[in-house]
């Protein structure tokens, strides 16, 4: 009953980290196994859903670490100084955004999820994944850039008056694109 009740919630978390649905199912099943074997550790004074979500996220990170093959890139000293490229105001549904996130390289996808969706700092991400904060920033930078390109491509916008594919919109300020995602804001 527990599996059926929380399947969608758990799968949603795992899909954000996985390359595809099959891999997400594998991670999720490992996560449920951990939930079942750790129920005695659950603190009933805290929300069960949050506890389970943390387990699914940790299982996703563990899966990523176990399949790590030179996934991280070199540090970028100034990854924080990302160009303020404006993107078209395109309404993406959950599945379109999820498909774009799944197309990211695994290192960039993992850092993006931990930073933009889960809200961890680069220092915390570095500790979790065994990388430097600079490498985390580098992977986030690359994830943002790839997502911006995918969104621009999906929008298929014509060139504007200055000859670029940039279009000013309200949804972007200071290099951040805010999209609704599972009742949370994602920062691109």
């Amino acid at each position: 009953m527990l599996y059926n009740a929380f399947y969608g919630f758990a799968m949603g978390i795992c899909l954000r980290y996985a390359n595809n649905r099959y891999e997400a199912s594998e991670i999720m099943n490992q996560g449920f196994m951990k939930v079942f074997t750790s129920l005695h550790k659950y603190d009933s004074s805290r929300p069960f859903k949050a506890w389970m979500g943390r387990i699914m996220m940790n299982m996703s990170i563990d899966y990523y670490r176990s399949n790590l093959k030179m996934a991280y890139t070199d540090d970028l000293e100034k990854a924080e100084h990302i160009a303020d490229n404006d993107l078209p105001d395109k309404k993406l549904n959950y599945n379109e955004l999820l498909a774009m996130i799944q197309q990211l390289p695994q290192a960039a996808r993992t850092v993006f999820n931990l930073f933009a969706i889960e809200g961890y700092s680069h220092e915390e991400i570095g500790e979790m994944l065994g990388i430097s904060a600079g490498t985390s920033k580098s992977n986030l930078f690359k994830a943002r850039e790839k997502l911006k390109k995918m969104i621009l491509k999906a929008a298929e916008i014509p060139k504007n008056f200055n000859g670029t594919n940039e279009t000013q919109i309200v949804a972007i300020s200071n290099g951040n694109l805010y999209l609704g995602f599972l009742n949370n804001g994602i920062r691109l």
Side-chain angles (χ1 to χ4, degrees), residues 35-64:
V35 167
F36 293 136
T37 59
S38 301
L39 276 175
H40 65 283
K41 296 179 184 177
Y42 167 64
D43 178 4
S44 61
S45 67
R46 296 184 172 221
F48 179 78
K49 199 171 185 180
W51 179 75
M52 177 191 257
R54 179 76 177 198
I55 289 174
M56 293 299 164
M57 183 192 70
N58 287 336
M59 292 305 295
S60 297
I61 292 169
D62 290 346
Y63 183 87
Y64 169 71

Side-chain angles (χ1 to χ4, degrees), residues 77-179:
E77 293 296 323
K78 301 193 184 208
E80 291 179 20
H81 303 291
I82 298 169
D84 291 337
N85 294 332
D86 292 332
L87 298 174
D89 189 9
K90 169 101 169 119
K91 299 220 186 252
L92 296 172
N93 68 36
Y94 170 81
N95 291 331
E96 290 170 327
L97 182 58
L98 181 61
M100 287 179 184
I101 291 170
Q102 287 178 332
Q103 290 176 33
L104 294 172
Q106 194 168 22
R109 181 177 60 242
T110 301
V111 171
F112 175 80
N113 282 316
L114 290 171
F115 182 84
I117 297 172
E118 306 294 344
Y120 288 100
S121 70
H122 289 293
E123 289 74 21
E124 292 169 321
I125 294 168
E127 285 180 32
M128 280 187 228
L129 301 177
I131 60 174
S132 71
T135 300
S136 175
K137 291 175 185 179
S138 172
N139 281 304
L140 179 63
F141 173 79
K142 289 179 181 184
R144 285 176 169 168
E145 292 303 306
K146 287 181 188 248
L147 282 171
K148 286 177 184 179
K149 287 177 184 175
M150 286 187 258
I151 291 169
L152 282 171
K153 185 176 179 183
E156 298 178 0
I157 58 169
K159 297 205 181 283
N160 65 15
F161 67 91
N162 65 2
T164 69
N165 284 336
E166 298 174 3
T167 304
Q168 184 151 4
I169 60 168
V170 176
I172 297 177
S173 80
N174 297 329
N176 292 323
L177 168 65
Y178 295 93
L179 298 170

Side-chain angles (χ1 to χ4, degrees), residues 60-74:
S60 297
I61 292 169
D62 290 346
Y63 183 87
Y64 169 71
R65 274 193 223 140
S66 70
N67 294 310
L68 186 63
K69 293 178 186 158
M70 300 191 54
Y72 291 108
T73 59
D74 295 329

